[in-house]
Amino acid sequence: QVQLVESGGGLVQAGGSLRLSCAASGRTFSSYSMGWFRQAPGKEREFVATIKWSGGSTWYADSVKGRFTISRDNAKNTVYLQMNSLKPEDTAIYYCSADPLGRIYTHKHWGQGTQVTVSS
């Protein structure tokens, strides 16, 4: 069974940085795509970024392109989201995700989420 455990959320001022981590277990993830989605209060969950475990190709939402970087550490089975130049509109619960079919914008497995709050 796939398990995804996020960490690294918190409170940061606008313009600051945070790095989220997602520890993945329960499968061999070589064929998976891994990602991050977020959900702000009163809004639907939205795509943030995806990385292919094999090869490392990446995709980003336009709203975070140039500010966020997704990466993975194969040895640690961990996916990261480095978030720079944070804005108040980045405030949301951030969810780690994984998909066995390698899809970019639709994922099957989800973590429990970690709160990111950006103050102005």
Side-chain angles (χ1 to χ4, degrees):
Q1 183 167 343
V2 173
Q3 288 192 320
L4 305 171
V5 180
E6 303 100 333
S7 60
L11 173 65
V12 64
Q13 288 189 333
S17 299
L18 280 176
R19 188 177 80 157
L20 305 183
S21 300
C22 173
S25 62
R27 287 287 187 277
T28 299
F29 291 97
S30 57
S31 65
Y32 276 60
S33 56
M34 309 292 293
W36 293 92
F37 288 68
R38 67 186 182 186
Q39 187 168 18
K43 295 187 177 181
E44 294 189 354
R45 187 157 52 187
E46 64 175 6
F47 166 76
V48 175
T50 287
I51 186 168
K52 287 291 186 82
W53 198 273
S54 177
S57 297
T58 57
W59 290 260
Y60 295 94
D62 287 343
S63 59
V64 306
K65 206 171 291 184
R67 300 188 298 121
F68 290 11
T69 302
I70 188 170
S71 63
R72 85 267 190 252
D73 184 325
N74 290 351
K76 295 182 178 181
N77 258 19
T78 300
V79 178
Y80 302 99
L81 185 68
Q82 178 66 44
M83 305 185 293
N84 299 328
S85 302
L86 282 161
K87 305 174 181 180
E89 51 263 43
D90 294 318
T91 295
I93 298 174
Y94 283 71
Y95 296 91
C96 179
S97 62
D99 190 75
L101 300 180
R103 292 174 293 187
I104 309 305
Y105 304 110
T106 302
H107 287 188
K108 180 178 180 179
H109 303 288
W110 300 93
Q112 82 285 355
T114 185
Q115 177 71 48
V116 171
T117 303
V118 184
S119 63
S120 57

